[in-house]
């Protein structure tokens, strides 16, 4: 048993599970060979890296930039942490856009012919939902400020440097 | 084995010190993983049921993936009761799928450092595991994207939706099961390590990193927290709830349809079809009003002799035309009224509508085949994958199965299938064939 672990790197069950996985996945993937193989491979590759190498750097840089900009501004930022009141409506709105962009940008050309429904409401609805989210967030922050404002009024000693959405503070390698 | 010389990690994300989030760690990943562990099997099962609902084994015209082989092993004859079954199944599959998008994104964020592990391959086991991860990550995104584009009728994926989504699901699910099995001990360990109650009680100020783990998720040099762990969970859960709330109304119907602000069928219909939603208008199907008048339209009843093993017997003389009926003839037959929804594979559905027409079983008897093996419906519509559909004997014989002539007290509108359409309980919308031209009862 020990020799197996040393050679393979895990227990035999691990090997059995991965082989079973490859057998089933391979069987199913083989069925896809009848179709547009190149297109499918491109899609799969994009799906594998889509979040980690494209989306993540974008949102991490955006998150860091916002924090950096506000840190450099003349201070008098409220002491109550504000970043999540910005993150939440931005991310909620972005996820809705990420799901519904074809409808929002009126891209499915057959939609009206098929469904007898109009494509025009979706952009307005998304914008309205986005506006509502920001409004709610602003209200929540105002309440939060009012509650804590009674206690203490002091300028920010700067934002915490790292954040949920930007895991790395030091892209420069500092 | 020879001793390997460890190459130092290249700078940037390959160095553990790059990752700074103080909330990232095995506990948070395990909670998000647990949510997916609950949601993904529901997606898989409702997806397979959705495929079974087409009765693909009954006839080639029903099967969008005839080369499925072993992947159709579980197929069974689709039931006709309870009548909301298909509606519930599709609504769950689509709404839950949409709601999992934020959870998947948060889960991917939570394990990001793993992509940049150094060394990239530690052992054969590690290599194989990373390959399964490609199936998991690529597979879930592929399934979500193809599904989400399909419900918006934005057919930009590389090929026919059905094989892509079905075979893609098997590739993904194989990887998912392996990943869940391999990670289960770690998941149980980390969930046991911290109490959920404690996490829910901990605010931002008191949020601390998890103890350093072997998996490399916990930051070596964590920055100060900007969000608590309960904040992350509320963030992910809130995004999921928002997506669900803005789309579930298209499946609930009634007054809730208005709440589906961002969903393809979240609008009330105006104009020609004010009652309920359609997904293929007559214009789209190439059906002209001139084809459906009292002078032009006839329903042809046919019989076909098949040997169960070999399908239709060779030669056209096995198909016999029994009779043709006008719409007036049909209206003179015994009329039945049933209350059934229209539910689409794309997840939207309508409330129960009141359909009136002739029982399919009465038409079978009229054709001289009181117990058909199956029934083939042909539509007037021009070509297309769903201009024909085959129903099982259970579906034909069900008391609620009609050739409907009227709906909600009025004649069908052209877009709803005038002069006559099939309506069978629990049948996918596309199989409830509109503009019926002929019914062939097979014996």
């Amino acid at each position: 048993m020990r020799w197996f672990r040393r050679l393979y790197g895990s227990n035999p069950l691990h090997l059995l599970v991965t082989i079973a996985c490859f057998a089933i996945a391979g069987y199913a993937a083989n069925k896809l060979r009848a179709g547009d193989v190149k297109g499918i491979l491109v899609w799969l590759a994009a799906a594998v890296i889509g979040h980690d190498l494209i989306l993540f750097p974008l949102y991490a840089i955006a998150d860091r930039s916002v924090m950096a900009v506000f840190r450099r501004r003349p201070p008098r930022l409220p002491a109550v942490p504000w970043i999540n009141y910005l993150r939440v409506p931005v991310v909620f709105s972005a996820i809705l856009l990420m799901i519904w962009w074809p409808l929002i940008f009126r891209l499915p050309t057959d939609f009206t012919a098929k469904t007898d429904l109009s494509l025009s409401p979706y952009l307005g609805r998304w914008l309205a939902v986005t506006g509502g989210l920001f409004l709610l967030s602003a209200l929540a922050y105002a309440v939060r400020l009012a509650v804590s404002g009674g206690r203490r009024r002091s300028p920010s000693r700067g934002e915490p440097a790292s954040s949920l959405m930007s895991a790395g503070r030091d892209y420069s390698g500092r | 084995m020879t001793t390997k010389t460890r190459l130092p990690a290249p700078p940037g994300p390959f160095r553990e010190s790059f990752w700074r989030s103080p909330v990232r760690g095995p506990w948070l990943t395990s909670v998000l993983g647990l949510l997916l562990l609950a949601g993904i099997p529901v997606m898989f099962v409702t997806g397979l049921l959705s495929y079974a609902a087409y009765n693909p084994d009954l006839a080639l015209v029903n099967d969008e993936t005839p080369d499925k082989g072993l992947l159709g092993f579980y197929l069974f004859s689709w039931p006709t009761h309870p009548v909301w079954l298909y509606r519930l199944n599709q609504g769950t599959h689509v709404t839950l799928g949409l709601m999992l998008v934020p959870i998947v994104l948060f889960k991917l964020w939570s394990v990001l450092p793993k992509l940049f592990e150094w060394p990239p391959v530690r052992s054969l086991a590690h290599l194989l595991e990373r390959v399964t991860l490609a199936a998991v990550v690529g597979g879930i995104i592929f399934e979500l994207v193809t599904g989400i584009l399909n419900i918006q009728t934005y057919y930009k994926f590389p090929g026919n939706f059905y094989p892509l989504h079905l075979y893609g699901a098997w590739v993904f699910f194989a990887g998912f099961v392996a990943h869940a099995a391999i990670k289960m001990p770690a998941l149980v360990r980390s969930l046991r390590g911290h109490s959920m109650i404690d996490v829910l009680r901990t605010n931002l100020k008191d949020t601390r990193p998890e103890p350093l783990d072997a998996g490399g998720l916990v930051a070596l040099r964590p920055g100060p927290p900007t969000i608590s762990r309960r904040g992350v969970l509320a963030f992910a859960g809130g995004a999921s709830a928002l997506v669900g709330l803005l789309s579930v109304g298209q499946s609930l119907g009634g007054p809730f349809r208005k709440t589906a602000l961002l969903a393809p069928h979240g609008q009330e219909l105006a104009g020609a079809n004010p009652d309920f939603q359609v997904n293929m208008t007559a214009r789209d199907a190439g059906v002209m009003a001139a084809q459906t008048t009292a002078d032009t339209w006839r329903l042809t009843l046919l019989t076909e002799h098949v040997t169960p093993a070999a399908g239709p017997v060779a030669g056209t003389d096995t198909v016999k035309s029994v009779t043709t009926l006008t719409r007036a003839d049909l209206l003179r037959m015994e009329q039945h009224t049933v209350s059934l929804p229209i539910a689409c594979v794309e997840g939207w559905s309508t409330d129960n509508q009141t359909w009136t027409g002739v029982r399919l079983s009465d038409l079978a008897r009229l054709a001289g085949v009181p117990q058909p093996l199956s029934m083939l419906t042909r539509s007037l519509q021009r070509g297309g994958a769903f201009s024909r559909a085959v129903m099982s004997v259970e579906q034909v014989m069900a008391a609620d199965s009609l050739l409907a002539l009227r709906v909600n007290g009025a004649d069908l509108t052209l877009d709803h299938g005038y002069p006559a359409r099939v309506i069978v309980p629990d049948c996918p919308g596309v199989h409830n064939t509109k503009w019926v031209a002929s019914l062939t009862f097979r014996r």
Side-chain angles (χ1 to χ4, degrees), chain A residues 114-136:
Chain A
K114 275 171 68 73
T115 62
D116 202 20
L117 295 170
S118 164
L119 270 176
S120 42
Y122 295 102
L123 176 61
R125 287 176 174 194
W126 174 68
L127 289 172
V129 170
T130 301
L133 288 170
F134 275 89
L135 204 65
L136 281 178

Side-chain angles (χ1 to χ4, degrees), chain B residues 223-391:
Chain B
T226 62
I227 189 166
S228 60
R229 266 181 207 91
R230 66 181 183 191
V232 177
L233 295 181
F235 200 169
S240 181
L242 178 72
V243 170
L245 283 174
L246 291 177
S247 57
V248 71
Q250 69 162 350
S251 311
L252 296 175
F256 298 106
R257 190 171 305 281
K258 287 195 193 78
T259 66
L261 291 180
L262 289 167
H265 287 259
Q267 308 173 46
E268 297 293 350
L269 272 170
N273 310 290
D275 276 359
F276 57 100
Q277 306 275 316
V278 291
N279 214 19
M280 182 182 275
T281 59
R283 185 161 61 102
D284 191 45
V287 175
M288 254 84 69
Q291 296 171 273
T292 63
T293 64
D295 294 331
T296 52
W297 184 80
R298 295 288 181 275
L299 174 72
T300 310
L301 298 185
L302 306 109
T303 63
E304 183 176 9
H305 196 69
V306 295
T307 56
V313 179
T316 47
D317 55 338
T318 58
V319 180
K320 274 196 302 207
S321 175
V322 178
T323 181
T324 56
L325 301 164
T326 64
R327 197 161 187 280
D329 294 335
L330 288 166
L331 281 167
R332 272 193 294 275
M333 290 177 67
E334 191 182 343
Q335 302 293 301
H336 294 269
T337 297
V338 301
S339 187
L340 294 175
I342 289 277
C344 182
V345 66
E346 293 164 12
W348 63 269
S349 54
T350 72
D351 297 312
N352 284 0
Q353 312 292 327
T354 308
W355 307 89
T356 305
V358 181
R359 274 192 183 144
L360 293 179
S361 55
D362 288 348
L363 291 167
R365 204 170 319 114
L366 187 65
V369 193
Q371 277 286 329
L373 292 170
S374 63
M375 179 191 83
L376 165 71
T377 311
R378 278 201 177 80
S379 169
L380 287 178
Q381 74 196 71
R382 244 186 354 222
F386 297 106
S387 58
R388 295 176 300 165
V390 174
M391 297 284 171

